[in-house]
Every structure is written in C-alpha cells, then in structure tokens.
C-alpha cells in the first residue's frame, strides 16, 4: 500500500501487521507488484515511477519525464512485458517495456483517452486488465475500455457523477468488476475475468485476423 501523506510504501500481513518497504517517495500514489515481486510506485509531484526490489527493498527511479504531468495509476499488461502508467492531467496513457532488472524502457504514448469538449485532461486514475488484454481505466467520462491495440472500444458510465478513483476485478472467478466512485463502491458482473499481476503472467493473445 502507498501511504501518501507519510511518503512511504508498506505491506500488511494477514494479521494487519505493518512492514515498511520503502520511504521518502513524495506523495506516493499508486502501486503494482509483478510475479517476481517487483514493486512499481508512481510519484506524481516529480513525474516519476520507482521500482523497489522485493528482496533488498532497494529503490530506484525507472522513469522520469515532465511529459507525464501526473503519473497516477499503474498496471502491467497480462504477460507483464509492459507497464502502463495513467496520466491524470494529460490525455494519454503511457506504456513502457519492462526489463528483467526492473528498469523501464521505450516509453510510448500508447493509449489515447476520450475527453469531453472543452476538457484539457482525461482524469485517468486507477486501472485494471482482463484476460483478453483489455485495459479498463477510470476517467472523467467513466470507465474507458481499451483493446490491446490501444483503441477505446467502450465507456462504462460512472454510477454517480463523482470522482471515479479506482477499479479492480474480484469474486471467486475474478468476474466481478468493482469501482471506487467517491464515497461508494459498486460492482457489476462481467463476461470476462480479471488478471492478477502477482500471479504467473498470462501469455499474449494471438492477433485476430
């Protein structure tokens, strides 16, 4: 978990005992963990992303770019070869190649979110992926759904006209989509299944002809 106002990353065991993993990450915002235990954390004030080694807890900056105005949500593609970073104050979601040592490379503005006329940013926040490689991202317009090629293929309306902060899959078969919409949490059943990044990577889907 990110403790934003304490500038640190912590982990909790099943008895809710807290272990400090890393400190001095200014207003750390979002977090994801891959199957190797590598931890990635966004730090919006400095436009950067950190990697934390799972065994030594050593941390290093693996992406820093003013072009990413407010790096927020962070998620892996199902095969964990790419890391996606949402930019709350921009109109694009960025994708990086993930190296074995945790480094990121080959930054690309891969996803273009939809915005309403007159808006200057998409409000991109929490994200999740499903087994088909589709990306779901919380935005001002609602939960935008991108296909693996980066195209918006649908927008699920917000349950209430308030900030849509985060999203995840849950339930016994990861078939329920949960969203945190300001002061409420909502769920809906889907016809797909989510992917958990800390489990074994899902192989990439073959392209459809």
């Amino acid at each position: 978990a990110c403790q934003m106002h304490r500038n640190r990353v912590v982990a909790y065991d099943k008895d809710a005992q807290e272990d400090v993993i890393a400190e001095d990450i200014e207003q750390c915002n979002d977090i994801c963990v891959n199957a190797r235990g590598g931890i990635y954390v966004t730090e919006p004030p400095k436009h950067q992303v950190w990697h934390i080694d799972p065994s030594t807890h050593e941390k290093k900056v693996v992406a820093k770019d003013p072009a990413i105005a407010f790096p927020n949500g962070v998620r892996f593609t199902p095969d964990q070869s790419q890391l996606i970073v949402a930019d709350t104050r921009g109109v694009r979601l960025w994708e990086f190649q993930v190296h074995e040592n945790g480094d990121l490379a080959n930054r690309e503005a891969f996803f273009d979110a939809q915005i309403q006329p007159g808006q200057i940013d998409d409000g991109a926040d929490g994200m999740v992926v499903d087994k088909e490689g589709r990306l779901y991202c919380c935005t001002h317009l609602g939960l935008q759904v991108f296909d693996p090629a980066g195209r918006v293929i649908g927008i699920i309306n917000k349950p209430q006209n308030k900030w849509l902060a985060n999203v995840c899959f849950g339930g016994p078969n990861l078939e329920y989509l949960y969203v945190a919409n300001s002061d409420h949490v909502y769920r809906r059943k889907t016809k797909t299944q989510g992917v958990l990044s800390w489990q074994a990577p899902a192989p990439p889907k073959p392209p459809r002809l």
Side-chain angles (χ1 to χ4, degrees):
C2 291
Q3 291 184 341
M4 178 184 291
H5 298 295
R6 302 180 76 175
N7 299 335
R8 68 185 195 179
V9 176
V10 301
Y12 297 94
D13 65 18
K14 62 182 180 179
D15 298 315
Q17 296 301 306
E18 183 181 278
D19 181 24
V20 177
I21 303 298
E23 297 183 282
D24 300 321
I25 301 178
E26 185 181 347
Q27 294 182 36
C28 53
N29 191 296
D30 211 332
I31 187 171
C32 64
V33 183
N34 63 21
R36 297 192 297 270
I39 303 166
Y40 290 83
V41 178
T42 52
E43 186 182 21
K46 295 183 179 178
H47 316 284
Q48 58 193 23
V49 179
W50 290 84
H51 174 264
I52 303 170
D53 185 275
S55 54
T56 65
H57 293 184
E58 248 182 73
K59 67 182 193 293
K60 61 181 176 182
V61 174
V62 288
K64 182 177 177 65
D65 195 330
I68 308 177
F70 196 91
N72 194 334
V74 59
R75 280 294 173 270
F76 295 100
T77 55
D79 65 1
Q80 298 188 20
S81 66
Q82 310 283 329
L83 186 76
I84 305 162
V85 179
D87 185 357
T88 304
R89 295 178 184 164
V91 294
R92 292 186 172 94
L93 284 65
W94 302 82
E95 192 167 77
F96 296 82
Q97 182 182 2
V98 180
H99 288 178
E100 281 283 329
N101 64 355
D103 287 349
L104 301 179
N106 301 322
R107 174 180 62 83
E108 183 179 0
F110 192 74
F111 304 88
D112 283 323
Q114 299 292 309
I115 61 173
Q116 289 180 336
Q119 282 185 329
I120 59 172
D121 60 61
D122 55 22
D125 201 339
M127 300 182 292
V128 73
V129 295
D130 68 15
K131 65 178 183 178
E132 301 295 331
R134 292 178 290 240
L135 174 72
Y136 302 70
C137 181
C138 297
T139 71
H140 290 316
L141 281 180
L143 193 64
Q144 299 197 33
V145 185
F146 299 84
D147 69 10
R151 300 168 297 199
V152 176
I153 56 173
I155 301 176
I156 302 172
N157 291 333
K158 293 189 285 187
Q160 56 177 348
N161 191 26
K162 296 181 179 181
W163 185 262
L164 193 63
N166 222 323
V167 58
C168 70
F169 279 99
N173 298 310
L174 298 179
E175 59 192 2
Y176 285 94
L177 196 62
Y178 291 81
V179 295
N181 188 193
S182 184
D183 53 355
H184 286 68
V185 175
Y186 297 86
R187 78 168 189 177
R188 67 185 296 167
K189 192 173 183 181
T190 72
K191 295 181 179 179
T192 186
Q193 290 176 294
V195 174
L196 301 178
S197 63
W198 56 87
Q199 294 180 343
K205 295 284 182 180
R208 294 179 178 177
L209 302 178

